[in-house]
Amino acid sequence: MITVYHNPRCGKSRECLTFLENAKHDYEVVKYLENPLNYNELSEIIIKLNINPIELIRTKESIWIENYKNKNLSDTEIIQTMVDHPILMERPIAVYGKKATIVRPLEKINDIL
């Protein structure tokens, strides 16, 4: 089962769900703005993504620009910032087993299938 961390207001996120539905893949949706991830859950996803936490930050969001942009934050602080402000997470994120990808562009979904 593929887990998609989804923001319904995001076109790329909706596009990912449409792709999975049309391809008949089993998936579950986690609306992470309504059900925020805790620190451990987010850390596990970052490990599966095989990225540094800063790479998961939406650096053009006003919350980031106004509060964090010019600060030298540790990985722990960056993860906690996303826990506190889930809107800062890149989306959509698809997780399948031990693999995960940020589905931008849509073709990145193939990295985990």
Side-chain angles (χ1 to χ4, degrees):
M1 172 83 65
I2 299 167
T3 301
V4 178
Y5 294 89
H6 173 64
N7 177 348
R9 296 186 67 198
C10 175
K12 297 290 183 191
S13 197
R14 292 190 308 269
E15 190 176 277
C16 176
L17 296 184
T18 299
F19 171 82
L20 292 172
E21 189 172 310
N22 290 340
K24 309 267 191 258
H25 288 288
D26 289 333
Y27 65 94
E28 66 177 334
V29 174
V30 175
K31 294 180 181 177
Y32 65 91
L33 295 177
E34 294 174 16
N35 301 300
L37 300 169
N38 66 40
Y39 185 93
N40 290 334
E41 291 167 329
L42 187 53
S43 295
E44 287 178 27
I45 290 171
I46 291 168
I47 290 168
K48 289 178 181 182
L49 287 166
N50 195 30
I51 62 173
N52 293 315
I54 191 66
E55 295 174 73
L56 192 56
I57 291 280
R58 296 176 54 83
T59 58
K60 294 181 182 172
E61 287 286 339
S62 61
I63 292 170
W64 179 261
I65 293 168
E66 293 167 10
N67 299 294
Y68 304 102
K69 182 179 180 183
N70 295 316
K71 293 184 179 178
N72 188 12
L73 302 174
S74 68
D75 287 350
T76 300
E77 292 169 320
I78 291 169
I79 295 169
Q80 188 59 52
T81 298
M82 286 185 279
V83 169
D84 295 341
H85 307 284
I87 193 70
L88 291 175
M89 286 176 42
E90 276 292 354
R91 68 218 178 219
I93 300 168
V95 179
Y96 185 55
K98 295 182 180 182
K99 297 180 183 180
T101 189
I102 301 169
V103 189
R104 287 178 172 264
L106 181 60
E107 293 75 27
K108 295 284 288 177
I109 192 74
N110 293 315
D111 292 352
I112 64 165
L113 299 178

